[in-house]
Structure formats: C-alpha cells, structure tokens
Amino acid sequence: MNKIFAYILILGTIVKVSGQNSDILVLEKDTLNLYSNPLEKRTDWERINQSITKQIQEYEFNASQDSIIEFSPFFQNYKTEWKIEKGNLYFNKITTYTDLESKLDLTKIFKGNKFPLIADWLNDSLIIFEGNCIICESNHLKNTSIYPNELILKFRKGTLVNKSRYKNQILKESKLSGLDPSEYLKYIYSKVNWSKLGKMDKTIQAFVSIEPDKNGKLKKIDWENTYLISDNNIIKIKKNRFLKEAVRIAKHIPDWTVILSHKKIMNQGISIIFSQEMKEKYAR
C-alpha cells in the first residue's frame, strides 16, 4: 500500500500531544523550528544516531549519581541546530537536554569533518512551522501537527533552490469536535449495526478517509486510504462487511471539520474498532 494515513483526524477533534523539542534552523536573524532532522537524509544516518546517543548515554551515566538513567525509546534525546549562509545549509551543532554539546566529540561522529558542516547530502525539502499549532498531533516517529504558517525550503546538494510559503487554517469545525471523548465514542458506536456483523472472534479496525467540501459535507470517499487492519493484514475489499459498515457510518456523519492546508482542503478520517468487547459495550 503506497499511502497510509500519516495521522488520522477523527472528525477534527483537536488533541494536544506533547512531544520532543524540534530541531532548529537559524535563518538570517530568526530561529525557526524544523519538522524534521536533515541528518535523517544521510545514508549513514543510523550509525550517526547510534553514535550520538551512545556518547550522551556514556556521559550521563558517568555524571549521574543515580544507577538508573532513563532514555526515551521513541524520541531522540537531542536536537540539531542548522543555519543557512550564502544560500547553503550547514549543520551547526547538537544540543542535548543537559547542555552537553561541548562534551560530544562531533569530529569522531562525523569522521573528521569540520564544523559547521555543509549539508551537501540534502536533496529534499525542509518544512518550517510558525505560530501555535491549529491541529496538534504527534506519534513516536515525528511531529505531524499543522501550524498556521509554513515555510518550505527546497535544497539540491545542500544549496537552497526554492522557497514556498503557506497559510493554513481551520475554515469550519465539526459539531462533533466539541464532544468529549466518551460522548464522541458513544455517538459513533451507537451508529454501528452490530446485528448485521455477526459474532466477532477477532478485533478489526477500520479506517475511512473522506474528502469534505468547503461546507464540511462529505464530497467523496478516499478509497485509496480506506481499509481494515485484521491480524496485521491490510484489507481493502470494498464488499467486506466491516469496511462497508464503517463507510456507511462515515456517510451519515452530519458534518466534518474543514482544514485548509497548502491551499487545499485536507482529507478527514474516522476510525472504528469492531470487536466483541465493543459490541457488548455499545450495542443496544
């Protein structure tokens, strides 16, 4: 499957999730937050990440009075700092949560390269966000939030070749977005026609992606990103009774949140879990 939801916006419900501090970019006189770490684009990224983490762990262990040192298994325990000078992107330094950058041997990590290090490996775009997030989402891989202002910088061999600016906004909020989580779940699962699904001996999760119009009404089902997950398998058969039921419920949602991102209305989604436990809890 080429595309899976990067994240699922359940009827536009906004949930603030705290995540790691972002990597930063110094551009002229501004210090800006990056969505991603440009080091991850290097072919030797895994080795570099392991080497940085190892140095931090060794220093923390030697400096700490405690026998137990906690490191997050999901988030990197440092952030990187970058700068753009004369149209080129440079890796400037690493900052850790305990301000250890002076203790890290970056020349060892990067095999003798001098700093600042030109990012000549980068043939991609970097996204910079500004303002408070209007949709706040994170997962263990990255920050997937949406911010009111975005600056996209495109690089070729570390040289800046293009800039694009976007203004993102919520044009309309779904009436259901004001419900608390328990009320929302009760509303969704009360719509399930459990009697037609039969007994369920396994848990099946459905994801339905829809394209809303500017008024928040369902325009069409995005079948490419509508599917089931059962026993770690992805099922996209439209006639599957669970997928049909999830799509039926999505079609009866009265309105959807409308978010304008990169000058386009974002797709919205709904997730439904079909299981004997959910049936016993919500079936009437």
Side-chain angles (χ1 to χ4, degrees), residues 223 236-241 243-244 247:
W223 285 106
K236 301 190 69 177
I237 301 171
K238 294 182 181 180
K239 292 184 178 180
N240 181 287
R241 68 183 187 275
L243 195 56
K244 285 176 66 177
V247 169

Side-chain angles (χ1 to χ4, degrees), residues 10-245:
I10 303 178
L11 300 178
T13 301
I14 300 175
V15 181
K16 291 194 174 184
V17 183
S18 61
Q20 71 183 98
N21 292 332
S22 68
D23 298 287
I24 62 174
L25 172 68
V26 178
L27 179 60
E28 297 176 349
K29 295 182 179 181
D30 296 323
T31 299
L32 307 169
N33 293 321
L34 285 173
Y35 263 123
S36 59
N37 178 358
L39 282 178
E40 296 175 7
K41 303 297 181 180
R42 288 178 61 110
T43 57
D44 58 349
W45 155 244
E46 187 173 341
R47 178 195 64 79
I48 288 173
N49 184 50
Q50 290 176 349
S51 181
I52 294 171
T53 301
K54 183 179 179 181
Q55 284 199 38
I56 294 173
Q57 289 176 334
E58 288 176 349
Y59 180 86
E60 289 281 11
F61 182 81
N62 292 330
S64 176
Q65 298 296 320
D66 300 320
S67 59
I68 299 176
I69 309 295
E70 291 188 3
F71 286 86
S72 168
F74 301 120
F75 301 120
Q76 64 188 42
N77 295 282
Y78 60 89
K79 61 182 179 180
T80 58
E81 182 179 304
W82 306 78
K83 65 179 180 179
I84 294 179
E85 286 187 355
K86 297 180 180 180
N88 293 318
L89 179 67
Y90 291 89
F91 177 31
N92 200 29
K93 66 178 181 179
I94 292 174
T95 302
T96 70
Y97 298 123
T98 49
D99 195 29
L100 298 179
E101 64 267 20
S102 60
K103 308 294 192 301
L104 298 180
D105 188 351
L106 296 182
T107 57
K108 180 179 179 181
I109 295 170
F110 292 92
K111 298 183 177 179
N113 286 301
K114 295 181 180 180
F115 281 76
L117 177 65
I118 188 167
D120 55 6
W121 64 85
L122 188 63
N123 292 292
D124 207 336
S125 295
L126 298 181
I127 302 176
I128 296 164
F129 52 85
E130 299 172 305
N132 296 323
C133 61
I134 56 177
I135 299 293
C136 304
E137 297 280 341
S138 295
N139 57 36
H140 69 281
L141 294 176
K142 61 181 180 179
N143 185 337
T144 54
S145 301
I146 298 173
Y147 290 78
N149 299 296
E150 285 187 31
L151 172 62
I152 300 180
L153 305 176
K154 185 176 181 180
F155 293 88
R156 185 176 296 119
K157 293 183 178 180
T159 299
L160 181 63
V161 295
N162 191 42
K163 293 182 183 179
S164 301
R165 290 186 180 274
Y166 294 98
K167 287 190 175 296
N168 307 318
Q169 59 182 316
I170 298 176
L171 300 179
K172 179 185 181 300
E173 289 194 38
S174 165
K175 294 176 182 177
L176 295 181
S177 65
L179 298 178
D180 66 38
S182 61
E183 290 177 321
Y184 169 76
L185 293 175
K186 185 177 180 180
Y187 176 87
I188 293 299
Y189 286 99
S190 68
K191 304 299 181 184
V192 178
N193 194 337
W194 297 100
S195 62
K196 288 189 176 182
L197 296 176
K199 186 176 180 179
M200 286 159 284
D201 57 359
K202 64 177 67 175
T203 296
I204 298 174
Q205 188 164 12
F207 298 97
V208 181
S209 176
I210 71 101
E211 181 182 330
D213 64 20
K214 63 181 181 180
N215 298 312
K217 301 302 181 183
L218 188 149
K219 187 175 180 180
K220 67 178 182 180
I221 300 293
D222 171 18
W223 285 106
E224 184 177 357
N225 292 304
T226 294
Y227 56 93
L228 301 173
I229 294 181
S230 176
D231 293 331
N232 295 320
N233 295 315
I234 294 173
I235 302 170
K236 301 190 69 177
I237 301 171
K238 294 182 181 180
K239 292 184 178 180
N240 181 287
R241 68 183 187 275
F242 295 104
L243 195 56
K244 285 176 66 177
E245 180 64 6

Side-chain angles (χ1 to χ4, degrees), residues 247-265:
V247 169
R248 183 190 67 80
I249 294 169
K251 288 180 177 180
H252 283 83
I253 298 298
D255 67 335
W256 300 80
T257 293
V258 181
I259 303 170
L260 190 67
S261 177
H262 293 196
K263 299 181 180 180
K264 296 180 180 179
I265 294 176

